[in-house]
Amino acid sequence: MTAATSDDVRALAAPLRKAHLDTLANRSHDQIVESLSELARRWRLAESTAGQRARALTGLFGYDGVELTLTALLDSLTPNALNDLIDSEGVRGRPGFPVIGHVLAGNTPLLGWTSMIRALLGRSASFVKLPTEEADLGAMCPTALTAALGGHVLPELGSVTAWSQLFVDALVEVDAPLASTIALASWPGEDDDRTGTLCTLADLVVAYGSDDTIASLAKMRGGLPFVGYGHRVSFGVVMPDANLKDAADGFALDTLLFDQGGCLSPQSIFVIGDSGRAADFAQVLAKSLRARQSTLPPPPRDEGIAVAIRRARALARMDGCRLWEDEATTWTVVLRRTPEFAPSPTHGVISVQPLSTWERLTVALAPVEGALQGCGLTPGPVPAGLGAFLSGAGVSYVCVPGKMQAPPLSWREDGVTVLSSLLP
Amino acid sequence: MDELAQRIEAFIQQEPSAGSFDELALALFTRQYSCVEPYRMLCDSLAVTPNNCTSWTDIPLVPAAAFKRYTLSCVPPSLVKATYYSSGTSGSETSKHYLDADALSLYRTSLRLGFVSAIPEAVGKRIWALMPSRQQMPNSSLSAMLDMLGAEHFYWEADANLLDDLAELTEPIVLFGTAFAFVQLFDMLPEPITLPAGSVIVETGGFKGRSREVLRSDLYAWFTEKLGADPQLCYSEYGMSEMASQFYSQGTADVKRGPHWVRTRILDPLTGKDAGPGERGLLAHYDLANFNSVMAIQTEDTASTISPVTFPVSSNPFDERDGDLDAGQSAGVEDGAAGERRRFVRSFVLLGRAQEAELRGCSLIVEENWNRWRTNEA
């Protein structure tokens, strides 16, 4: 799994072209859909060994923290949903690139799942570079470990690496030849040689990461097919007729999941109404965060994270903001008077801001124009014009509070098509 | 001079009538609370005001990053006499520390007394600085410091005169520069030289974020090997543009010690409480010489307390009446408002910047300009 050199990268990639030819090039979409939906069925019914192992994962990306996102993804893997996706994007029967190189970020646990599933539906083999910070974990294969321990499942730290491996293992259970079209590998992200080799070998590269990472990889590709997903931010809107308690419960979950590290994690919540309503919501949100915190895995906190949170808290106080916070650094609610989107250091720091009308979102979101991703919108009638505004502002995912970390497979991130963008 | 500034100056100069650290700190807090609006907002939000703050340990700490975002000054811009900027990476925000006439006077007093009491061997010796002069970099607190200390020469941008001047020395000097500038000097030296006996080396700044880093042990070995310096006459200075006072360590022990008008706590960033003996934490300084801005600063520099005491026992009698901290002690405790015991330190081992925190350091200025010079030369 660990690719120590560029030659290792080549050696891992070499069988993928043959696997593509043998397994994917001539396989129908129906057959691929059947295997993926069977994987989901077995997982849901606890028939999957990999699925059982997943329940032992702990930490921020442990099973409890990932279940909501995973359930939404599994719900996208029914035959009907998959066929709808394939047909809606007009990719049925079309050939895919032989090998897609995936460069994953480490901020959300199931990134590997969605990226690999999309590649399979595009009938491409996958070479997956796992996140840098998990390079050490990458050397530890759950399958091998479990086998060595006579089937005994060890508690393991959840990670993009662990979840990606579990997907491959689950696929082996239902369709080993299909699983053979996937190779997982890890090496330090700053290693230009190995990353450059991947960029040279792959027919298409799909990458997730910071804007700098995306720019660097695009440069390495030198004009060859490349799909990059860079830094994005999300927000919430509490409409005038919303139930504050329900909204707060949902946004509390959206904020705490993955320690607010996902591009769909809200950083600011705009409360339509006067400042008093925003203050009321902030207070209720704090209460919801406190309650929800106890049901989720405690987020990792090290010196650097704690410093960033405490700095953000103090500076917010100096801005004249009102704060609600826990004694540790798990969550912080900042009630701001200013309407402009307030970037968060993440790690549970969420701003609540009053807006007199939803039309003021145009001003509030101006500082993050071009970097918007998701919007949590309280249920109820959507005013004429709001949907069009969100779409025009680049918001690619709108959902009710509590579902921001549960996008379906069909979500067009950054407005990019899910499958057709992966085809020649 | 403001009456409170006079009392603080008297305290720095160890006049018995000056009052206690606690009295002066609380008086200074009252002043800064009333005239620095962003700070007052912080304090109000924490519900700590001059009315209920009864111990210096309860004075709210302002994050060092606040010096980048806000104008922390008790006086209008027209009364600001000096502004010191922090060094930073290209394009990054810099801290701005505004000093009015009283603050500048206290800065000068603090700097000079702190320097001579920490480095008595420097007294009466000429000072040469390896850094830009105040004229070249008027907003650098480091350049201003050396100017106030009366540095005779500033050597900058690989000044070839430095090697010639060093070779002609007959009397001991104080050579004060950034760590990186010393490394650049060693790179320039064709062969080792021997400074006149009794010469003092003072390095500052570190290497954080530099293209080239050198182990502290190597640097100090080179002071001896390449300059013939006595290891016991090699010092390290730690300061920040946001503060008016400095800390020094002697030799390779690297135990930094501050003056009696600064109290320091080491706080666990995870809990916000005092770190235990020997534990790592963030430095929080309470500097009476920070007259015009905010005296209580939460840094993002990490340190640990020392145990047992390794710093030489001070001969300064002022230490003995400084709270319940005895001469030569590295740490002490004091009661907080709620009756809890709070730990403070006079000596600490600097461990560097907190992970993921923004980079800082005077060496940055040196390297950036040095590299620019090299590029231009090429």
Side-chain angles (χ1 to χ4, degrees):
Chain A
M1 201 177 227
T2 301
T5 66
S6 293
D7 286 342
D8 293 340
V9 175
R10 289 189 194 91
L12 282 167
L16 293 178
R17 288 194 181 277
K18 184 170 186 309
H20 170 259
L21 278 176
D22 295 346
T23 306
L24 282 168
N26 297 315
R27 192 183 277 218
S28 70
H29 271 107
D30 287 345
Q31 291 170 306
I32 297 169
V33 165
E34 187 181 336
S35 293
L36 288 175
S37 56
E38 175 63 6
L39 179 154
R41 189 196 66 79
R42 283 171 55 84
W43 194 291
R44 267 194 233 97
L45 296 178
E47 293 174 6
S48 164
T49 307
Q52 289 163 18
R53 290 211 321 272
R55 290 177 182 276
L57 292 180
T58 61
L60 183 66
F61 291 172
Y63 188 82
D64 292 343
V66 175
E67 189 174 14
L68 177 80
T69 311
L70 179 64
T71 301
L73 188 54
L74 293 175
D75 287 346
S76 301
L77 299 184
T78 62
N80 283 344
L82 289 171
N83 282 317
D84 284 351
L85 178 61
I86 290 165
D87 292 332
S88 68
E89 297 211 355
V91 300
R92 189 175 297 278
R94 286 174 58 188
F97 285 111
V99 177
I100 293 178
H102 308 250
V103 179
L104 301 185
N107 58 331
T108 54
L110 297 184
L111 199 52
W113 279 57
T114 53
S115 208
M116 287 185 277
I117 290 169
R118 290 172 60 189
L120 289 170
L121 292 172
R123 297 199 296 176
S124 297
S126 290
F127 188 117
V128 183
K129 181 197 175 300
L130 297 163
T132 303
E133 61 270 29
E134 296 178 341
D136 292 339
L137 285 172
M140 192 172 64
C141 170
T143 308
L145 261 184
T146 305
L149 292 167
H152 178 68
V153 178
L154 273 184
E156 184 191 346
L157 199 62
S159 63
V160 179
T161 298
W163 280 102
S164 298
Q165 181 65 57
L166 284 170
F167 173 77
V168 176
D169 293 348
L171 193 57
V172 168
E173 294 174 19
V174 298
D175 191 338
L178 202 57
S180 72
T181 66
I182 300 172
L184 305 180
S186 62
W187 62 84
E190 64 273 17
D191 188 296
D192 285 349
D193 283 349
R194 281 172 279 184
T195 306
T197 302
L198 174 61
C199 284
T200 304
L201 290 173
D203 303 292
L204 165 71
V205 169
V206 178
Y208 304 82
S210 68
D211 291 344
D212 286 348
T213 298
I214 298 304
S216 167
L217 289 167
K219 192 176 175 186
M220 283 186 188
R221 287 293 285 170
L224 292 172
F226 177 75
V227 179
Y229 298 98
H231 180 61
R232 294 290 183 272
V233 295
S234 294
F235 62 99
V237 178
V238 178
M239 296 300 285
D241 54 353
N243 178 299
L244 294 189
K245 170 75 167 57
D246 292 346
D249 285 347
F251 281 127
L253 182 62
D254 294 333
T255 304
L256 291 174
L257 282 180
F258 316 144
D259 200 19
Q260 206 186 5
C263 60
L264 286 173
S265 302
Q267 298 192 18
S268 273
I269 298 174
F270 299 101
V271 179
I272 311 301
D274 60 20
S275 56
R277 187 162 188 262
D280 289 345
F281 176 74
Q283 192 159 14
V284 178
L285 178 61
K287 197 173 175 184
S288 295
L289 284 163
R290 190 181 301 279
R292 182 68 78 174
Q293 160 195 0
S294 61
T295 69
L296 291 170
R301 287 289 177 266
D302 61 20
E303 178 182 279
I305 293 173
V307 165
I309 294 168
R310 291 191 184 281
R311 184 202 304 135
R313 286 177 173 180
L315 292 177
R317 291 181 190 282
M318 297 182 80
D319 280 336
C321 303
R322 189 173 166 196
L323 269 70
W324 290 259
E325 62 193 36
D326 64 336
E327 277 199 7
T329 49
T330 307
W331 57 267
T332 309
V333 177
V334 181
L335 176 63
R336 295 183 183 277
R337 293 173 297 189
T338 51
E340 289 81 15
F341 180 95
S344 163
T346 71
H347 307 296
V349 179
I350 179 105
S351 291
V352 172
Q353 298 164 266
L355 278 187
S356 54
T357 66
W358 72 261
E359 286 89 346
R360 295 278 294 161
L361 282 170
T362 54
V363 176
L365 296 174
V368 280
E369 186 183 1
L372 292 170
Q373 184 78 290
C375 170
L377 182 64
T378 51
V382 178
L386 176 56
F389 164 74
L390 293 174
S391 177
V395 175
S396 60
Y397 179 57
V398 180
C399 64
V400 296
K403 296 290 185 185
M404 293 187 75
Q405 305 298 344
L409 182 68
S410 57
W411 167 40
R412 293 186 171 183
E413 188 172 354
D414 288 359
V416 178
T417 55
V418 177
L419 301 179
S420 61
S421 62
L422 305 185
L423 268 54
Chain B
M1 194 181 212
D2 177 275
E3 186 264 339
L4 177 58
Q6 287 181 43
R7 287 171 58 202
I8 292 172
E9 187 163 72
F11 184 84
I12 291 172
Q13 292 171 333
Q14 303 176 29
E15 291 175 13
S17 62
S20 70
F21 180 92
D22 212 27
E23 289 167 359
L24 293 169
L26 291 172
L28 190 53
F29 168 56
T30 300
R31 179 180 196 270
Q32 294 172 344
Y33 172 89
S34 65
C35 60
V36 183
E37 187 184 4
Y39 184 53
R40 183 168 62 251
M41 286 187 169
L42 171 72
C43 298
D44 287 345
S45 177
L46 294 168
V48 180
T49 71
N51 291 331
N52 61 13
C53 185
T54 57
S55 163
W56 67 269
T57 58
D58 292 324
I59 296 173
L61 291 152
V62 71
F67 282 81
K68 294 181 179 177
R69 186 185 292 196
Y70 305 102
T71 299
L72 302 178
S73 175
C74 286
V75 300
S78 60
L79 295 179
V80 170
K81 298 298 180 190
T83 306
Y84 296 141
Y85 294 176
S86 64
S87 51
T89 52
S90 298
S92 66
E93 278 185 290
T94 56
S95 291
K96 292 169 282 292
H97 190 189
Y98 302 98
L99 294 88
D100 66 350
D102 287 345
L104 198 56
S105 175
L106 281 175
Y107 186 103
R108 206 172 274 123
T109 304
S110 166
L111 168 68
R112 289 173 179 163
L113 282 181
F115 184 70
V116 299
S117 65
I119 312 177
E121 301 90 346
V123 175
K125 290 176 182 153
R126 292 184 294 162
I127 299 174
W128 291 4
L130 306 185
M131 63 190 67
S133 69
R134 195 174 174 185
Q135 288 70 38
Q136 290 170 301
M137 207 166 278
N139 292 116
S140 161
S141 57
L142 189 60
S143 298
M145 269 175 57
L146 270 293
D147 187 70
M148 287 182 198
L149 288 172
E152 188 177 76
H153 294 299
F154 286 82
Y155 296 93
W156 179 231
E157 293 188 343
D159 191 339
N161 293 326
L162 174 60
L163 296 184
D164 295 339
D165 292 349
L166 285 173
E168 291 173 7
L169 272 176
T170 56
E171 298 293 326
I173 60 160
V174 176
L175 202 54
F176 196 138
T178 68
F180 196 82
F182 275 109
V183 173
Q184 300 284 8
L185 166 63
F186 298 146
D187 287 346
M188 285 201 312
L189 276 176
E191 57 187 21
I193 60 172
T194 301
L195 295 174
S199 290
V200 174
I201 303 288
V202 187
E203 59 88 9
T204 186
F207 295 94
K208 196 74 176 175
R210 307 281 61 78
S211 58
R212 179 181 175 194
E213 294 199 6
V214 172
L215 289 175
R216 176 182 169 77
S217 55
D218 288 344
L219 183 67
Y220 277 70
W222 291 343
F223 287 148
T224 301
E225 292 167 17
K226 297 179 184 292
L227 299 177
D230 177 348
Q232 282 306 303
L233 294 182
C234 297
Y235 289 84
S236 175
E237 184 261 0
Y238 159 67
M240 49 200 292
S241 67
E242 298 89 344
M243 278 181 72
S245 302
Q246 298 78 34
F247 301 78
Y248 297 91
S249 60
Q250 182 180 16
T252 55
D254 200 22
V255 178
K256 296 284 188 299
R257 186 171 171 85
H260 66 262
W261 56 91
V262 178
R263 289 268 172 99
T264 296
R265 296 167 69 193
I266 298 179
L267 301 175
D268 182 338
L270 294 172
T271 64
K273 300 184 188 312
D274 290 309
E279 290 178 356
R280 179 185 173 105
L282 298 176
L283 286 169
H285 302 301
Y286 301 75
D287 183 1
L288 291 181
N290 258 29
F291 187 72
N292 186 55
S293 54
V294 176
M295 67 160 296
I297 299 173
Q298 174 65 69
T299 78
E300 294 180 10
D301 291 328
T302 60
S304 67
T305 54
I306 54 169
S307 182
V309 175
T310 56
F311 197 85
V313 172
S314 171
S315 58
N316 183 349
F318 209 74
D319 279 346
E320 294 178 12
R321 66 176 196 84
D322 185 13
D324 55 4
L325 187 65
D326 294 331
Q329 270 191 303
S330 65
V333 291
E334 192 149 307
D335 291 337
E340 75 278 20
R341 300 289 277 172
R342 289 184 176 168
R343 184 182 302 274
F344 66 94
V345 299
R346 287 284 297 279
S347 304
F348 52 84
V349 177
L350 195 61
L351 301 173
R353 295 283 287 165
Q355 287 178 335
E356 292 186 17
E358 294 161 322
L359 302 179
R360 63 182 307 156
C362 300
S363 279
L364 196 60
I365 294 172
V366 176
E367 186 186 15
E368 280 182 345
N369 286 281
W370 191 283
N371 288 338
R372 194 177 307 141
W373 168 79
R374 282 183 157 171
T375 304
N376 291 341
E377 281 297 296

